[in-house]
Structures are given as structure tokens and as C-alpha cells.
């Protein structure tokens, strides 16, 4: 980019930032960096500029880069949840493309800063990831590249199984202390006594010997944490890799669970901000084209930009100008649209956003439906608005990953790992289960089992280090 | 509002290679996976029957990123219509396999190939890495050439990856010592030394391959396909590895005739089988055109073994004669769905000669082992 273009861009950003402030967007300080395509695509594939090195990222990068090279897809920007907030712009974007992108990322930055689900994300993740990547590289030198790579293969096979709601979870007790709530020796005066002694260690010594202790005491959703803490044969470097990958997953999780609302918010604001700018007629046409591209719909998946944008616009409308019924029933005075959407962006994630604000009218207006495989055909099977909404919400539970817990860390009294899939009507991909278990075995070091449901019958898959097996329970 | 809330910058990203490095690693893994699956890939229909297209898709299973996931075929997905859409509309149909073609991809559980693209040449390179012409002898007429690359020269200009570190450092040390500041510091472009290669042509003895195939009525589509796969790779192999090897195509039923390469692979015939006819023709060809003094001669014959019983003895005799002239005689028998008690192969068991190789191929995955057995550099 020529010097002149750069200063032109700076001027535009100045104006866009001022406009965004006027609209009360509250974002981090911004670092805009202009990068060539292969760099942007690298960041896109890795999710972060400084992430560790692994062939799976190479595969993702190859895919994205190929699409770009064949002009099938294009990333205009990449924004990082950090303070200050990094935004990478694609070299070769036209000025108007960059204007849209800048307005768009300011809204993302505002979302990162204000949405409740991002409260606990580290703002220094860029640096943490760089440090982890560096350590992983050292491990490769020390222990061999193949070995480290194979271990990372195993770790990422279960990386989604973390517990992102750590802040509402009770602190883990050290293994030697007993659960207060389970201690029956303590005399109770009222049924609620155990509430008052939370945190006080229990002093009755025999409790643990009397009945076999369950391990873990409560089913554990954080597979990564459980294995990292309790697997017997992991070496220090291996625990470090697990821990780093887990931290990265916890960092990405809020972004995964706010895709629709976050993109909707950004689309809402780039539209509002650019409308207020002076555009030449060519720019206006190009902007319209690009925006249309962003919100393009598809018959086989939902466009988060479009869906999110529509919901925000609908909320604003309904709170600005409530229907008589809404006025009466909910006491909505009207003219509260803007205020309301700012509240929504602060308090909701995709699931609650859809459950609370995807109305009958919207489902019908947007022609949403559910489809499913029937024989050889993928067919539309549902248009009823509540069922569509619920189907959509269900598909977002746990970011779309199966909900799996550690049921027993000492199964068969041989230290085997017993996992349980919370079956909610959708079966697991059996081939993938069979191929993933050996990875879990690599981590746990002893036989691993997973219980799930197939054809309405509970079934247990096992891998014992040599072969896999399956039996109905 | 205090100060500027943003910075715009443009750094030099030209050294950012991370994505490329991991992409390279991924490609390596793909190659490894292909090598492991060569037996299956070698006889892929899409390759053997390919109509001149350069890039083929090779299904690879090991590069999936396994994790616990839902079976997407058994769950509902959300989509967005255009106002016309109604319940029962078909969005997409999966290709159905015709009956008799075996299990369709859609029916087998969890088939989710990671498909990679590879050129035929790349694939050929992988397959041929370990192959060579066995028992090569020095003959009078030297025709066979293969290119060899040797690093022989050191120059001041060259490719960065070929930098000669030792010589470069020596230059730095020398220059610094001359200047009176000994030590390893300040490498100037003038110090750089590069290894450079030269292409030399290696002359090897010349060779001729006699490709013989049974095209009788008993050779069904499967048998022909196997023979065809074998010869496809054999021809490719000989043409890529050596620049001047001659191939003679002989097809036979009860009578044998020489054909062009194209005819050899496309023409179907019918009728009975008399294998001796093709051995006889091979002997004639050798006698008339390829003197064993000048050529290394290889003869390969593919058949389903369903030969006229009375002809078997004759075959054994002629094969024995062929062995006098040839560096190697190979016989591949394709075991069809029918069971024969006395096939040509059982007759050939009588031939005990280290230059005679016999394989039987049961299914598609047998083609690669057959190639390996015939074209091993060191005779078995």
C-alpha cells in the first residue's frame, strides 16, 4: 500500500472511530495491521497469530488459502479478543472495503469488552500463546518432533471437553479433604445446615473408610482438566501441553458460543456507521455489494451475520415501538430500542439470544426451517416456529459438541477411565468414537470406556491399548 | 476523549512462514498416508481408467482429525429458504449406487474420506521409488539413459537452500583474518558459497519388455482390469524411470498377435485360450528383432490360467526356452470367481529357475505387490 493510501485509511478510521463513539460503542484501543493474504489466512487457520505449530493448522490453512486462490472465499479481516484489540486487515482491500471492515471490528471489540461471557478471558492471550508455542517447540527439540506431534494429536482430540463455566463452579477440593455435604456424622438441626458449613473442613476421620469413595466425587465435565490432573504416567511436558491447549480452548469458548450474536452486532453497526459517512456513488454501490455478500443466506446452513442482524433490528423495533399487546403485557413504554440492544449485547450468548428473541414472526419472515436426511435425500422436515427455534437452540448446546463427562476414574478398580455421553436424542458418530478412544488411551495410559446410546440402547465402547470393542449394556 | 484510540501499521511480513511450514508438514503426512495405502490406491479405478486428466483425487482416511462428534446424518440442521420452501422439499440428494456395485459410500458407517488431490506423476513417483529393472546386464548396445543429478560444483551464486555452510564460514574466517580481525563475524554476500549440481546422463544397458496378455473369452472384466492395472503402471514405470526402453505388446486367445499399446488395453476378444501361441510369438519377436546379446529382455504374461489342458506342457517347454533369452520371465495369474483345478500356474510349478517369477492376484489390492515382486531391483 502506498503511503498516501495509508494516510487516507487513517483519516477514514479516525472518522469511523469518532462515529462509533457517538453511537456509544465502548471498545478497546485498536491496533490495525495490514497484512498480505497468506498471513491473514494463517491467522484465520490458527485462530491467533502466535499459536503453536501443528499439521492440523497446516491443513486448515491449505484449505482456506486454496479457496482464496481460486476466488471462492475471502476473509477481509481478523480480529483478536485482546486489550489492546488487534485487527488485521487484508492487504489489497479497497478503501471502502476497509471502512466497512473497520466499523465491523469496532463493534466486535465493543462486544469483547462488554459481553458477560468474555469477563474471564485473558487479555494477554496473544503473549501466552506465543510463550506456549515456544515451549512446544523446545519439547520438540528435547523429546522428538514425532513424539510431541503424536501427543498433540491426542490432546486436541478431546480439547472441546472443558468446563467453561469455571466461575460458577465450586472450587475443587484437594483429594484428601472430604465433601462436607456428604458427611453425615455432623449433627443437623435443620435440613439446611450443610449450607452454613461450606468451606469448613470436616473432621470426622472414618467417613472415607466406611464406604468406597467415588472418584471423581461429582461427574466431571472437564475431561482435559481431569486427565491432566489424574493421569498417572503423563510427564511434566505432556501436562504442560494439555494445560496450554485447555487454556486456549477456554479462551476461544466465549467466541464459539457468541458467534451469531457477535456477528449480528458487528453487522448491525457496520451498517449504521457506514450509512452516516459520506460515500461517493461508486463507494455506495461497492459497500452495498459487500454487505449483501456478508449477509447472503444459504439453504443448508444459517448465516450468523444475517440472523444476528435481523434479530437485533427486530429487538430495536419492538422496544422502540411496541405493539399494544406488548405495551400492556410487559409494560414497555417504547423508545427504548437502542438501550435494549446494548443490554442484550452485554448479557446474552447465542443460546439465550435465540431463545429470548427469535420470535414466531422472525422465523416466518426469514423462512427458517429444519432439514434432515431421509433415505438418500436431505429433506425439509420442520417449519413450525417453536420447533425450528428449539432445534436451532439444541444444535448450539455445548457449542455443538456432545456433552461428555468423566463418570469414573477408577473403573473396574483398575484405574480405568469411564466416560459417559449425555445422550439427548442425537447419536455419536460411531466411527469417530472408535478412532478417538485410542487418543484418549494415549493420554490416560489405561483402558478407556465411553457409554453412549445407539438405536435407543445403551452401549459401551472400550479401548484397552490393543483393540477396541463394543458391547450393549 | 483523550488521545488517539488506534494505531495503523504495516509491518514486513515476508518472513512469516508458519502457515507454510505446517502446510508442508501436512503434505508430508498426506504422502506418508498415501504410501501406506498404495496397495489400495494403485488399482483405484479412477486412476487406471482416467481419461488424461492430470489430477486425481485419492481418498485417505488417516488424516481425519478424530474427536467425539455427533453423527451429522442423524441430526436435524437449520437452513433458510426463499419463501417457496415447504416441508418435504429435497435440498440435496446423495448419489445412489447401482445394484451389484457393492456397498455404496453412503451405506457404510462413518465413511468420511479426507480426499486429497495429487497428480498422477506425484503418485507414480511414490509407487516407483522402490522399483527397478532386475538382473540388468551390460550389453553391447548401450541405449538406455537415465538422468542423474550430482552435486559437483561450488559457486558464488546459487539457491539459498543449497548454501554450503562450511565453505561460507571458511571464507568469512579467511577474509576477517586478512583484515586483521580474526573470528566469525560479519558475513558479507561475497562470502557466500553454494553447492551446485550438474545433470549427468547415465548410460545403462538397453532393455525390451514383452507385455503379453490373455484376451480370451474367459478373461472377464475383472481379470482384464487387473491385467490392465498392472500393465498401466508397468508402462508408466518404464517410461518415467528410463528414457529409452522398448515395449512390445502381444495379445492372444488361441492365436497371438502383436498390437499397438492402445489396442492392447482397449480391445476385447473372445474364444478359447492357447497360451503357447503367445510364447511362440514372443520367441519369434526376440529372434527377429531383439538379440539377447544387445538387449535385456523381460517377458510378462497375464492370464486367468484357464488354458487348454493339452497346451500346458507345450507352454512349460516354451517358457523354458524364453528363459534362455530373458533376464526374467513373469507370469501373473488372476484368480477369477471360478475355481479351476489345473491352471497354467500349477503347470508352471515345474519350472525351477531363479529368473522365473510367478504371482497370483486375487483382488485389486494384489496389483501393487505383484509390481513389487516383478520389479524389485534385487532378484528374489
Amino acid at each position: 500500500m502506498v503511503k498516501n493510501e495509508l494516510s487516507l485509511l487513517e483519516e477514514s478510521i479516525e472518522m469511523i472511530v469518532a462515529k462509533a463513539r457517538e453511537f456509544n460503542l465502548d471498545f478497546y484501543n485498536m491496533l490495525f495491521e495490514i497484512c498480505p493474504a497468506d498471513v491473514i489466512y494463517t491467522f484465520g487457520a490458527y485462530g491467533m497469530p502466535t499459536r503453536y505449530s501443528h499439521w492440523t493448522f497446516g491443513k486448515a490453512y491449505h484449505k482456506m488459502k486454496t479457496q482464496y486462490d481460486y476466488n471462492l472465499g475471502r476473509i477481509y479481516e481478523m480480529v483478536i479478543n485482546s486489550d489492546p484489540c488487534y485487527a488485521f486487515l487484508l492487504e489489497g482491500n479497497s478503501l471502502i472495503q476497509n471502512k466497512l471492515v473497520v466499523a465491523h471490528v469496532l463493534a466486535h471489540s465493543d462486544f469483547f469488552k462488554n459481553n458477560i461471557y468474555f469477563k474471564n478471558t485473558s487479555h494477554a492471550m496473544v503473549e501466552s500463546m506465543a510463550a506456549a508455542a515456544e515451549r512446544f517447540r523446545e519439547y520438540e527439540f528435547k523429546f522428538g518432533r514425532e513424539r510431541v506431534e503424536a501427543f498433540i494429536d491426542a490432546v486436541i482430540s478431546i480439547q472441546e471437553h472443558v468446563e467453561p463455566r469455571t466461575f460458577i463452579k465450586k472450587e475443587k477440593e484437594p483429594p484428601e479433604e472430604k465433601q462436607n455435604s456428604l458427611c453425615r456424622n455432623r449433627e443437623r438441626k435443620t435440613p439446611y445446615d450443610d449450607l452454613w458449613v461450606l468451606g469448613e473442613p470436616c473432621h470426622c476421620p472414618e467417613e472415607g473408610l466406611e464406604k468406597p469413595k467415588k472418584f471423581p466425587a461429582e461427574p466431571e465435565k472437564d475431561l482435559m482438566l481431569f486427565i491432566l490432573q489424574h493421569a498417572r504416567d503423563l510427564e511434566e511436558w505432556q501436562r504442560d501441553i494439555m494445560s496450554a491447549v485447555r487454556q486456549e480452548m477456554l479462551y476461544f469458548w466465549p467466541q464459539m458460543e457468541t458467534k451469531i450474536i457477535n456477528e449480528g452486532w458487528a453487522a448491525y453497526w457496520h451498517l449504521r456507521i457506514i450509512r452516516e459517512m459520506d460515500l461517493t456513488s461508486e463507494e455506495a454501490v461497492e459497500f452495498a455489494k459487500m454487505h449483501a455478500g456478508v449477509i447472503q443466506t444459504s439453504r443448508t446452513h444459517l448465516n450468523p451475520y444475517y440472523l444476528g442482524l435481523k434479530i437485533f433490528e427486530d429487538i430495536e423495533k419492538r422496544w422502540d415501538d411496541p405493539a399494544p399487546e406488548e405495551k400492556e403485557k410487559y409494560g414497555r413504554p417504547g423508545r427504548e430500542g437502542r438501550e435494549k440492544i446494548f443490554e442484550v449485547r452485554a448479557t446474552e450468548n447465542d443460546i439465550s439470544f435465540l431463545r429470548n428473541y427469535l420470535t414466531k414472526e422472525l422465523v416466518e419472515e426469514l423462512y427458517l426451517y429444519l432439514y434432515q436426511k431421509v433415505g438418500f435425500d436431505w429433506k425439509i422436515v420442520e417449519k413450525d416456529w417453536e420447533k425450528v427455534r428449539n432445534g436451532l437452540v439444541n444444535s448450539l448446546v455445548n457449542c455443538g459438541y456432545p456433552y461428555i463427562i468423566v463418570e469414573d476414574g477408577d473403573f473396574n478398580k483398575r484405574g480405568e477411565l469411564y466416560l459417559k455421553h449425555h445422550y439427548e436424542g442425537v447419536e455419536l458418530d460411531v466411527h469417530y468414537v472408535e478412532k478417538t478412544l485410542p487418543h484418549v488411551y494415549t493420554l490416560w495410559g489405561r483402558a478407556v470406556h465411553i457409554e453412549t446410546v445407539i438405536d435407543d440402547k445403551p452401549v459401551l465402547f472400550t479401548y484397552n491399548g490393543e483393540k477396541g470393542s463394543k458391547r450393549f449394556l | 476523549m483523550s488521545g488517539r484510540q488506534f494505531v495503523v501499521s504495516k509491518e514486513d511480513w515476508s518472513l512469516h512462514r508458519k502457515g507454510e511450514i505446517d502446510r508442508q508438514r501436512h503434505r508430508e503426512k498426506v504422502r506418508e498416508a498415501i504410501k501406506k495405502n498404495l496397495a489400495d490406491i494403485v488399482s483405484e479405478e479412477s486412476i487406471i481408467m482416467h481419461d488424461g486428466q492430470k489430477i486425481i483425487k485419492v481418498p485417505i482416511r488417516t488424516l481425519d482429525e478424530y474427536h467425539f462428534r455427533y453423527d451429522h446424518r442423524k441430526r436435524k440442521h437449520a437452513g433458510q429458504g426463499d419463501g417457496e420452501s415447504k416441508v418435504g422439499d429435497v435440498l440435496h440428494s446423495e448419489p445412489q449406487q447401482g445394484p451389484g456395485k457393492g456397498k455404496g459410500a453412503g451405506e457404510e458407517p462413518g465413511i468420511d474420506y479426507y480426499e486429497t488431490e495429487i497428480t498422477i506423476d506425484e503418485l507414480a513417483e511414490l509407487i516407483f521409488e522402490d522399483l527397478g529393472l532386475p538382473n540388468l546386464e551390460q550389453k553391447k548396445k548401450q541405449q538406455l539413459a537415465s538422468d542423474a543429478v550430482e552435486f559437483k560444483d561450488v559457486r558464488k551464486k546459487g539457491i539459498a537452500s543449497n548454501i554450503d555452510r562450511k565453505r561460507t564460514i571458511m571464507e568469512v574466517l579467511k577474509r576477517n583474518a586478512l583484515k586483521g580481525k580474526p573470528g566469525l563475524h560479519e558475513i558479507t554476500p561475497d562470502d557466500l558459497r553454494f553447492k551446485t549440481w550438474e545433470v549427468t546422463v547415465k548410460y545403462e544397458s538397453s532393455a525390451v519388455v514383452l507385455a503379453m496378455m490373455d484376451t480370451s473369452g474367459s478373461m472377464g472384466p475383472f481379470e482384464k482390469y487387473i491385467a490392465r492395472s498392472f500393465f498401466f503402471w508397468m508402462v508408466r514405470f518404464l517410461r518415467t524411470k528410463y528414457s529409452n526402453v522398448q515395449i512390445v505388446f502381444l495379445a492372444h486367445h488361441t492365436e497371438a498377435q502383436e498390437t499397438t499399446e492402445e489396442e492392447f488395453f482397449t480391445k476385447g476378444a473372445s474364444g478359447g485360450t492357447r497360451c503357447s501361441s503367445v510364447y511362440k510369438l514372443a520367441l519369434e519377436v526376440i529372434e527377429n528383432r531383439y538379440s539377447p546379446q544387445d538387449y535385456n529382455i523381460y517377458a510378462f504374461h497375464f492370464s486367468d490360467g484357464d488354458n487348454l489342458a493339452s497346451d500346458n506342457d507345450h507352454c512349460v517347454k516354451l517358457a523354458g526356452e524364453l528363459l534362455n533369452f530373458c533376464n526374467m520371465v513373469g507370469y501373473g495369474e488372476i484368480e477369477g470367481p471360478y475355481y479351476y483345478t489345473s491352471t497354467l500356474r500349477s503347470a508352471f510349478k515345474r519350472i525351477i529357475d531363479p529368473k522365473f517369477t510367478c504371482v497370483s492376484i486375487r483382488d485389486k489390492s494384489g496389483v501393487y505387490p505383484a509390481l513389487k515382486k516383478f520389479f524389485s531391483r534385487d532378484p528374489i
Side-chain angles (χ1 to χ4, degrees):
Chain A
M1 197 178 290
V2 205
K3 191 91 205 122
N4 191 17
E5 276 182 63
L6 203 62
S7 56
L8 221 56
L9 176 61
E10 281 191 7
E11 272 170 37
S12 314
I13 295 181
E14 187 100 53
M15 277 152 67
I16 294 168
V17 165
K19 191 52 80 186
R21 288 276 170 211
E22 239 177 83
F23 279 126
N24 288 325
L25 287 180
D26 168 30
F27 40 86
Y28 295 121
N29 284 343
M30 302 296 297
L31 297 177
F32 292 102
E33 171 73 35
I34 295 147
C35 306
D38 50 338
V39 174
I40 288 254
Y41 283 84
T42 310
F43 296 170
Y46 289 71
M48 191 62 133
T50 53
R51 216 157 173 211
Y52 63 90
S53 169
H54 192 254
W55 63 268
T56 48
F57 297 132
K59 178 176 158 185
Y61 167 69
H62 174 71
K63 218 180 207 166
M64 294 169 97
K65 185 69 182 3
T66 311
Q67 285 188 339
Y68 172 77
D69 289 344
Y70 287 106
N71 225 347
L72 291 172
R74 188 170 172 152
I75 313 180
Y76 294 97
E77 48 82 12
M78 161 96 198
V79 56
I80 308 285
N81 167 29
S82 60
D83 183 12
C85 175
Y86 290 89
F88 299 93
L89 311 178
L90 180 63
E91 187 181 64
N93 280 353
S94 67
L95 185 60
I96 178 66
Q97 283 173 335
N98 270 333
K99 284 180 186 171
L100 183 149
V101 164
V102 168
H104 192 86
V105 299
L106 287 180
H108 277 318
S109 181
D110 165 272
F111 194 89
F112 292 148
K113 192 174 172 187
N114 294 287
N115 183 274
I116 186 74
Y117 292 92
F118 287 83
K119 267 282 172 297
N120 287 14
T121 53
S122 160
H123 295 304
M125 208 54 192
V126 180
E127 291 77 17
S128 315
M129 284 196 188
E134 192 52 45
R135 291 201 307 279
F136 288 15
R137 220 178 344 262
E138 274 169 34
Y139 297 148
E140 283 188 1
F141 275 115
K142 259 196 202 154
F143 306 107
R145 178 174 157 185
E146 308 269 323
R147 201 167 155 217
V148 173
E149 182 182 80
F151 187 74
I152 296 177
D153 285 353
V155 173
I156 59 179
S157 77
I158 56 159
Q159 63 179 345
E160 304 90 8
H161 301 282
V162 295
E163 174 53 277
R165 303 280 180 264
T166 43
F167 48 96
I168 53 167
K169 208 184 163 187
K170 205 168 33 169
E171 273 298 304
K172 264 231 166 290
E173 285 150 79
E176 60 272 11
E177 271 181 70
K178 262 160 243 107
Q179 298 257 161
N180 293 318
S181 50
L182 292 179
C183 176
R184 300 216 184 86
N185 290 10
R186 206 186 289 269
E187 222 173 285
R188 292 186 188 199
K189 291 186 186 89
T190 75
Y192 304 109
D193 271 6
D194 50 350
L195 278 179
W196 313 121
V197 297
L198 276 181
E200 282 176 32
C202 162
H203 299 292
C204 39
E206 282 87 30
E207 176 78 2
L209 301 172
E210 276 171 15
K211 68 176 179 106
K213 224 199 292 183
K214 208 163 174 301
F215 173 62
E218 301 280 322
E220 173 63 64
K221 199 232 168 200
D222 202 326
L223 247 72
M224 289 284 277
L225 184 66
F226 185 82
I227 292 178
L228 138 75
Q229 284 180 340
H230 301 293
R232 294 160 205 237
D233 306 321
L234 289 183
E235 290 174 37
E236 215 32 61
W237 65 272
Q238 294 175 316
R239 287 183 211 277
D240 181 41
I241 287 179
M242 278 201 89
S243 161
V245 171
R246 177 172 171 269
Q247 287 305 329
E248 295 184 8
M249 182 48 69
L250 287 172
Y251 165 81
F252 284 119
W253 193 273
Q255 291 176 44
M256 288 152 55
E257 65 180 334
T258 57
K259 184 85 186 147
I260 297 169
I261 182 172
N262 197 350
E263 293 300 0
W265 182 248
Y268 176 93
W269 284 110
H270 78 231
L271 208 49
R272 301 293 176 295
I273 290 170
I274 300 299
R275 272 180 196 163
E276 301 268 321
M277 313 272 295
D278 287 326
L279 301 185
T280 65
S281 54
E282 289 88 28
E283 280 186 322
V285 170
E286 206 185 329
F287 170 76
K289 266 192 198 160
M290 195 174 157
H291 178 72
V294 169
I295 60 166
Q296 195 170 37
T297 62
S298 152
R299 301 199 305 159
T300 51
H301 59 263
L302 287 182
N303 179 338
Y305 297 82
Y306 187 58
L307 182 61
L309 170 67
K310 282 296 187 187
I311 296 178
F312 271 119
E313 286 180 342
D314 182 64
I315 296 173
E316 188 177 29
K317 200 181 77 204
R318 288 193 293 129
W319 262 260
D320 265 344
D321 186 16
E325 187 205 343
E326 287 174 325
K327 255 186 196 162
E328 195 184 315
K329 207 165 161 191
Y330 307 112
R332 260 179 233 162
R335 306 169 64 87
E336 285 180 325
R338 269 294 148 81
E339 201 183 316
K340 178 65 185 173
I341 60 171
F342 272 91
E343 175 203 310
V344 168
R345 80 91 157 79
T347 53
E348 313 281 6
N349 64 9
D350 281 347
I351 290 183
S352 60
F353 185 54
L354 296 183
R355 205 162 41 207
N356 294 334
Y357 302 105
L358 182 61
T359 59
K360 178 172 189 282
E361 290 72 23
L362 268 177
V363 171
E364 282 165 7
E365 187 196 323
L366 302 180
Y367 310 118
L368 303 186
Y369 53 68
L370 295 179
Y371 68 95
Q372 188 175 22
K373 190 160 181 269
V374 185
F376 283 105
D377 298 328
W378 289 91
K379 273 186 183 166
I380 298 176
V381 290
E382 195 60 74
K383 285 190 77 177
D384 176 75
W385 83 275
E386 262 185 307
K387 286 184 180 146
V388 170
R389 184 198 62 190
N390 293 346
L392 195 46
V393 166
N394 284 341
S395 73
L396 295 171
V397 168
N398 201 31
C399 286
Y401 297 111
Y403 198 98
I404 290 167
I405 50 140
V406 180
E407 180 75 18
D408 193 345
D410 189 22
F411 185 61
N412 281 340
K413 291 277 173 290
R414 287 198 296 254
E416 298 175 3
L417 186 65
Y418 193 102
L419 306 176
K420 190 172 178 183
H421 165 223
H422 269 244
Y423 177 73
E424 280 149 7
V426 186
E427 289 178 10
L428 296 184
D429 183 328
V430 170
H431 174 65
Y432 265 57
V433 169
E434 287 167 347
K435 290 287 186 181
T436 308
L437 279 179
H439 281 316
V440 186
Y441 178 88
T442 303
L443 303 174
W444 186 246
R446 292 175 187 228
V448 288
H449 312 262
I450 183 167
E451 182 189 327
T452 180
V453 174
I454 288 177
D455 295 332
D456 295 322
K457 289 187 288 273
V459 59
L460 188 68
F461 288 89
T462 297
Y463 182 78
N464 63 8
E466 279 160 16
K467 58 178 180 38
S469 59
K470 171 178 123 177
R471 72 184 164 92
F472 287 97
L473 295 173
Chain B
M1 211 121 306
S2 62
R4 247 157 89 116
Q5 291 157 331
F6 70 94
V7 175
V8 183
S9 64
K10 185 169 190 262
E11 279 172 39
D12 179 10
W13 289 99
S14 58
L15 288 178
H16 190 93
R17 305 256 313 132
K18 189 187 194 138
E20 273 310 318
I21 290 168
D22 281 340
R23 182 196 210 176
Q24 200 58 42
R25 176 66 188 137
H26 173 237
R27 206 174 291 159
E28 269 171 42
K29 287 187 81 86
V30 170
R31 278 176 71 98
E32 279 168 31
I34 292 176
K35 277 208 90 160
K36 268 187 216 150
N37 291 323
L38 274 184
D40 290 331
I41 295 169
V42 157
S43 44
E44 264 294 308
E45 228 155 303
S46 57
I47 299 170
I48 308 302
M49 304 297 188
H50 87 122
D51 38 1
Q53 76 211 32
K54 271 279 156 58
I55 289 176
I56 40 174
K57 281 196 166 177
V58 179
I60 306 226
R61 297 198 79 152
T62 53
L63 286 191
D64 282 327
E65 295 153 53
Y66 292 111
H67 56 131
F68 294 121
R69 68 170 193 189
Y70 289 120
D71 189 340
H72 74 279
R73 293 166 180 284
K74 291 191 179 169
R75 78 183 301 185
K76 290 177 181 159
H77 304 261
Q80 193 168 358
D82 53 7
E84 305 282 305
S85 45
K86 54 192 184 302
V87 171
D89 282 4
V90 175
L91 300 175
H92 170 69
S93 286
E94 288 182 6
Q96 296 172 33
Q97 299 282 330
K101 252 195 121 183
K103 266 189 169 176
E107 291 162 295
E108 272 184 63
I111 295 270
D112 235 341
Y113 286 123
Y114 167 70
E115 287 217 332
T116 183
E117 286 191 346
I118 186 170
T119 63
I120 294 240
D121 292 339
E122 275 176 292
L123 186 59
E125 203 180 294
L126 282 172
I127 294 172
F128 303 152
E129 239 169 43
D130 315 318
L131 304 186
L133 280 178
N135 305 333
L136 261 193
E137 283 169 28
Q138 197 69 34
K139 300 276 168 165
K140 271 189 251 154
K141 213 171 173 180
Q142 299 212 327
Q143 255 185 2
L144 217 58
S146 67
D147 291 344
V149 173
E150 278 180 77
F151 282 93
K152 300 181 121 169
D153 202 3
V154 176
R155 295 184 194 169
K156 286 185 137 190
K157 293 270 180 286
I159 304 170
S161 59
N162 288 339
I163 205 157
D164 187 331
R165 291 189 188 79
K166 198 169 163 190
R167 288 202 171 84
T168 303
I169 287 170
M170 292 291 278
E171 290 300 322
V172 179
L173 292 173
K174 253 198 287 188
R175 191 176 42 79
N176 285 336
L178 272 173
K179 276 204 263 169
K181 290 188 290 177
L184 183 58
H185 47 84
E186 290 169 65
I187 303 175
T188 68
D190 218 30
D191 298 327
L192 299 179
R193 292 294 178 276
F194 299 88
K195 291 180 215 158
T196 313
W197 69 87
E198 275 178 12
V199 177
T200 52
V201 178
K202 269 213 270 194
Y203 286 96
E204 287 171 28
S205 305
S206 37
V208 61
V209 172
L210 305 172
M212 306 183 279
M213 182 160 69
D214 186 348
T215 53
S216 65
S218 60
M219 288 283 283
F222 168 76
E223 288 84 356
K224 266 196 197 136
Y225 178 75
I226 294 293
R228 193 180 163 155
S229 309
F230 176 83
F231 283 122
F232 173 87
W233 288 111
M234 187 199 76
V235 169
R236 257 202 109 79
F237 166 60
L238 295 168
R239 298 231 161 110
T240 37
K241 201 113 178 169
Y242 304 96
S243 27
N244 196 12
V245 73
Q246 297 181 45
I247 306 164
V248 179
F249 297 95
L250 307 175
H252 76 93
H253 35 97
T254 49
E255 280 159 35
Q257 65 180 123
E258 188 173 344
T259 66
T260 62
E261 180 179 350
E262 206 201 330
E263 280 171 352
F264 186 77
F265 285 131
T266 49
K267 221 170 119 186
S270 54
T273 316
R274 193 189 293 276
C275 291
S276 63
S277 64
V278 80
Y279 288 95
K280 219 166 122 201
L281 181 62
L283 283 166
E284 278 169 32
V285 168
I286 292 170
E287 201 184 336
N288 296 338
R289 294 177 7 216
Y290 302 102
S291 146
Q293 279 162 346
D294 296 334
Y295 289 94
N296 290 287
I297 303 169
Y298 300 88
F300 293 103
H301 179 216
F302 272 81
S303 166
D304 59 355
D306 184 17
N307 197 23
L308 272 177
S310 58
D311 188 48
N312 281 352
D313 286 345
H314 198 38
C315 280
V316 172
K317 192 172 146 265
L318 289 174
E321 272 179 50
L322 262 181
L323 278 163
N324 292 333
F325 303 117
C326 296
N327 299 52
M328 182 183 209
V329 175
Y331 172 66
E333 188 162 289
I334 303 143
E335 294 180 16
Y338 313 107
Y339 181 73
Y340 306 115
T341 44
S342 71
T343 63
L344 188 53
R345 184 162 165 254
S346 50
F348 275 151
K349 273 186 190 148
R350 277 184 271 154
I351 302 179
I352 297 167
D353 188 317
K355 291 193 289 185
F356 183 77
T357 311
C358 199
V359 295
S360 60
I361 300 178
R362 230 172 244 107
D363 53 33
K364 277 161 74 169
S365 59
V367 175
Y368 182 58
L371 271 171
K372 268 174 77 169
K373 198 163 178 198
F374 285 139
F375 292 105
S376 60
R377 240 179 260 275
D378 310 306
I380 314 111

